DNA sequence: GATGAAACGTTGTGGTT
DNA sequence: AACCACAACGTTTCATC
C-alpha cells in the first residue's frame, strides 16, 4: 500500500474524519504535535490529494427527504454518455457510480415522497431501464477510511 | 416539507457542506450575519439533528484502496440479523443499506486489490448470496443536500 | 518540528429590536 | 427569539531557529 502516510498522519486523518471542525491545536494535543506542525501536515495532505475536502453531514429526513432509494440503470445503446453528463445536475442524486455488470449505473437518491420518486423515475426512462430499491435503513453510514491492514 | 429551515440556514448548510472547516466569521460575511449569530444558528441545527457532523473526505486510492465495489447480498434465512450486527465491524464497508427487493443489502466497499476482494467475498458467503459490481468511476460524489424544490 | 508574536476566530455577556 | 456589539479567550499563521 501507499507508504507515504505515517502513523501521525493516520491519526490526523482519523480525527478529521470523525470531526472535520476539530482545531489543529486540539489534534496536536492528542497526538503530541504543536499546532503549526499539524497545520503543515494537513496542508501537505491536502496538496497531495489525500485530504479531498471537509463536508457537513446533513439529515436527509429533517431536510424534507422522507424517502431514499438505490436505483440501478441499464443504459440504452448510445444513451450512456448523455446520462453521465446529465446526472450531476439532478439534485436528488447524492452518489452515482458507473459499475460493471448488467446494469451500468447505480445511484443513491433522496426524495420527498413516493410522488417525487415517480416523477424522478419518469425522467430516467429515456436513458435506460431502471430498477428501484427503497432504502429501509442505513446500517453503515460514511464509515471512515482506515489504515488498511498490511 | 420541513419549514423550520429558513433561507439563511440553507445558506449556512450550503457553506458547511462545501467546506465544513469554513469559519463562522467567514460564513457570516457571505450571508450578512455576525459570527455569534452564525454560531447560534449552527448550534441550534446541531441540537435539532439537522447538522449531524463534519467529516473529512479522504482519497480512497491514495490510502491504498485501488479497488471499489458495490456488493449486494441476499441473506440466507435467519442470517440477516447476525449480518447486520457484524457489518459495522468490517473496515472495508464504508456504506451499507438495507433495501427492498430480491437482495436485502447493498454495500459500498473499498479494497486494496483483487486478492483483498476475493477474501472479502469469502467472509460474506456464510451470510448469503452475493453479487459484486466493480466501481469503474464515481460520477457523482457526495453531492450536497439542497433545499428540495417546493 | 518548536517557539513566540501578531492576526484572526470563537464564545460569553449584555443590550436592542 | 433572533440578532448585534464588545471583550476575553483560544486558534491559526508567519517568522525565526
Amino acid at each position: 500500500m501507499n507508504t507515504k502516510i505515517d502513523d501521525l498522519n493516520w491519526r490526523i486523518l482519523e480525527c478529521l474524519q470523525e470531526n472535520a471542525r476539530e482545531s489543529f491545536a486540539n489534534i496536536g494535543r492528542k497526538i503530541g504535535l504543536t499546532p503549526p506542525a499539524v497545520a503543515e501536515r494537513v496542508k501537505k495532505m491536502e496538496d497531495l490529494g489525500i485530504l479531498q475536502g471537509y463536508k457537513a453531514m446533513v439529515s436527509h429526513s429533517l431536510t424534507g427527504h422522507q424517502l431514499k432509494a438505490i436505483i440501478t440503470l441499464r443504459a440504452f445503446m448510445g444513451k450512456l454518455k448523455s446520462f453521465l453528463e446529465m446526472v450531476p445536475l439532478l439534485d436528488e442524486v447524492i452518489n452515482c457510480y458507473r459499475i460493471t455488470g448488467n446494469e451500468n449505473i447505480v445511484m443513491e437518491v433522496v426524495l420527498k415522497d413516493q410522488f417525487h420518486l415517480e416523477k424522478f423515475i419518469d425522467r430516467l426512462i429515456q436513458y435506460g431501464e431502471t430498477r428501484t430499491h427503497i432504502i429501509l435503513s442505513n446500517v453503515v453510514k460514511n464509515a471512515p477510511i482506515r489504515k488498511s491492514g498490511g
Side-chain angles (χ1 to χ4, degrees), chain A:
Chain A
M1 70 156 273
N2 198 315
T3 178
K4 285 185 177 172
I5 305 176
D6 65 12
D7 284 351
L8 284 174
N9 275 354
W10 268 113
R11 295 187 65 186
I12 292 172
L13 291 177
E14 278 171 31
C15 290
L16 290 174
Q17 286 182 98
E18 205 196 307
N19 175 16
R21 286 190 69 82
E22 186 162 18
S23 71
F24 296 159
N26 222 16
I27 294 170
R29 263 172 237 127
K30 288 183 180 173
I31 70 175
L33 286 179
T34 56
V38 176
E40 197 177 308
R41 279 167 172 267
V42 167
K43 177 76 166 54
K44 191 166 274 179
M45 288 196 283
E46 287 172 352
D47 291 346
L48 289 171
I50 296 167
L51 272 167
Q52 300 183 319
Y54 309 94
K55 273 188 70 76
M57 300 286 109
V58 171
S59 165
H60 300 155
S61 58
L62 295 178
T63 51
H65 305 92
Q66 266 38 314
L67 198 55
K68 290 192 279 180
I70 302 291
I71 300 182
T72 59
L73 180 91
R74 181 182 153 89
F76 297 138
M77 283 286 267
K79 285 285 188 180
L80 183 60
K81 187 161 177 285
S82 59
F83 174 82
L84 292 175
E85 286 165 5
M86 178 277 301
V87 67
L89 306 175
L90 300 176
D91 282 354
E92 293 91 342
V93 178
I94 59 175
N95 278 297
C96 177
Y97 305 96
R98 197 170 158 193
I99 57 174
T100 61
N102 214 342
E103 280 101 11
N104 321 81
I105 295 288
V106 58
M107 286 171 275
E108 180 186 351
V109 303
V110 294
L111 302 147
K112 280 188 285 186
D113 49 38
Q114 86 245 39
F115 304 109
H116 191 180
L117 173 60
E118 187 175 2
K119 282 192 289 185
F120 182 75
I121 292 173
D122 283 349
R123 278 193 282 159
L124 293 182
I125 55 174
Q126 58 178 303
Y127 297 99
E129 189 185 330
T130 63
R131 195 173 301 191
T132 301
H133 305 264
I134 303 296
I135 293 176
L136 300 172
S137 66
N138 212 321
V139 187
V140 176
K141 198 166 183 170
N142 275 312
I145 300 296
R146 297 184 199 287
K147 182 176 179 176
S148 78

